[in-house]
Amino acid sequence: MLRRPLEINRRAFLSTASAALLLQAARGFALPVPAGQALRSNPFLLGVASGDPEPDGFVLWTRLSTDTKRGDGGLPPVAMPVRWEVATDAGFHHIVQKGTASATPEMGHAVHVEVTGLPAHRDFFYRFHTADATSPVGRSRTAPAANATVDRLRFAFASCQNYEHGYYHAHRDLAGQDVDAVLFLGDYIYEYRSKDRPRVHTLPKLETVDDYRTCYAQYHSDPDLQAAHAAHPWIVTFDDHEVENNWAGDIDQENDPPAAFLKRRAAAFQAYYENMPLRRTSLPTGPDMTVYRTLSYGKLAQFTVVDTRQFRTDQPCGDNFKAPCAERANPAATMMGPSQETWFQKALSSSPAQWNVVANQVMIQQLKERRDGELVYNMDQWDGYPAARQRLMKYLAEAKPSNPVVVTGDTHQTWVGDLKADFNNPDSAVVGTELVGTSITSGGDGVARTRFSDEELRDNPHIVYNNDLRGYFLCELDAKEMRSELRTVDKVTSMDGTVTTAARFRTEAGKPGINVA
Ligand code: FE
Ligand code: CA
């Protein structure tokens, strides 16, 4: 189907091959030799992914590209048929589902296949073919049946993977773990160019859909990120940098007219959808996109994924670290917007699951910090929206949904602590648990300890642990408890960083709150 000869991009091709090898090493199965070697150019430079597992299937994703520096992937502006296969074995001797999808230029030559009809809670392997090229092999896993009693669920969560700030050692480590799913909580890309970093963005600033497509192509070209996608199904949501730093509803930080910002948001959402293993229910309509949703793992766990960007009111008192001003007390302040807030409470109250895991973007726990002796809050976090947080805490305290555990991104540090009925009253009830994961790379190396002063530790008695290194979390749930493990990277700025366990945590079922194990 390739209408014109395409150049070989041998370096990028090798990185796809090494991703396949990494995956092979990580999971111990043999991969077929990619037929792409017979082509003049490999169209699978962005790898493969799967996502949003249901008991009978999942989404399969790839996006064709022969040139990772171009938004159009160096492809002709025509639709290309892409065959897909799902098998029970990595050698594809037992193919259980197959079909053909169309990779169109309107969708950035992305392919989203919603596979159905598979048995629950099983591993499957998948791959794509186009022209005479074959993609790397991915592994996915269906969710348990809705009414199933599940002994154990393992998941990872991660966020904030600024490509320029370092190497994805955390993703390489994650690719080798045995998890049912990976939650990615936002800042998959960053929309600006940094200075003096180990890697450099292709484009300095993103504005058009082609710009965002180019940025995603560069991120997806990373072999470690490809390995983590190929190894596990992902459940994704966005935060601010998929569009622009600290945007809130239809307001951006540069105070562009809302119409101009919404045009950029539409371009960013289009590219986000094209580059993520999302279902059609998340296909954007102009500047609007629905990513809040629930996913069930039998009677053991429900993931409730929220969107705290698209429907929030503007940050009060200026952005980020500011002393509290009167505007912060606005009772109408909202993080989710009224209709998502209603949906959220219903989703948790009607959940049949033992554990209710909330996939959330920005930190809910109160975090009092001192800057030059002055007490400040990060107004982009729930600290900027105390009325909205109080509604959420009141709901958890009164409705008592079963074992709420919030997993959060954004801060580029690890913060583990208790959700309190009233954060300003240390004697108030613990109503849930929050694990704020650090970043995959954003912020650079960091240090293996807290940056908190003794005074700040006293100001925040609900926080049990803080660590400034990069990394991600592994969590394991059973009927009795949740065990969490923080994996940290010693150095993201060098190519030979190593990943180790920095700390372990325990949350008992029926007893909200978390302890260092
Ligand atoms: Fe971030
Ligand atoms: Ca963020």
Side-chain angles (χ1 to χ4, degrees), residues 453-504:
S453 67
D454 290 346
E455 193 179 20
E456 286 169 322
L457 286 172
R458 281 193 299 274
D459 281 343
N460 297 280
H462 51 276
I463 291 171
V464 303
Y465 183 86
N466 168 234
N467 181 311
D468 185 51
L469 285 177
R470 307 290 74 80
Y472 71 100
F473 261 99
L474 286 168
C475 300
E476 184 171 308
L477 297 171
D478 62 29
K480 286 199 179 121
E481 62 178 19
M482 178 174 83
R483 294 170 293 278
S484 309
E485 183 178 343
L486 171 62
R487 301 283 288 165
T488 55
V489 190
D490 60 345
K491 255 183 180 315
V492 292
T493 54
S494 89
M495 290 185 79
D496 59 355
T498 56
V499 185
T500 52
T501 295
R504 288 187 165 86

Side-chain angles (χ1 to χ4, degrees), residues 197-218:
R197 296 292 186 171
R199 304 201 282 189
V200 179
H201 276 169
T202 304
L203 299 175
K205 189 173 186 253
L206 311 181
E207 198 73 51
T208 66
V209 67
D210 197 65
D211 296 343
Y212 283 98
R213 282 172 177 159
T214 304
C215 184
Y216 281 103
Q218 185 175 25

Side-chain angles (χ1 to χ4, degrees), residues 71 128 160 175 178:
F128 301 91
C160 296
D178 177 21

Side-chain angles (χ1 to χ4, degrees), residues 160 187 190 239-241 309 362 380 410 412:
C160 296
D187 292 359
Y190 285 75
D239 189 29
D240 54 336
H241 289 288
R309 280 286 157 200
V362 298
D380 187 59
D410 180 63
H412 308 170

Side-chain angles (χ1 to χ4, degrees), residues 156 158 169-177 179 182 228 231-232 234 472 474:
H169 306 307
H171 280 313
R172 191 176 61 241
D173 187 72
L174 171 56
Q177 303 288 345
V179 293
V182 174
H232 315 295
W234 285 36
Y472 71 100
L474 286 168

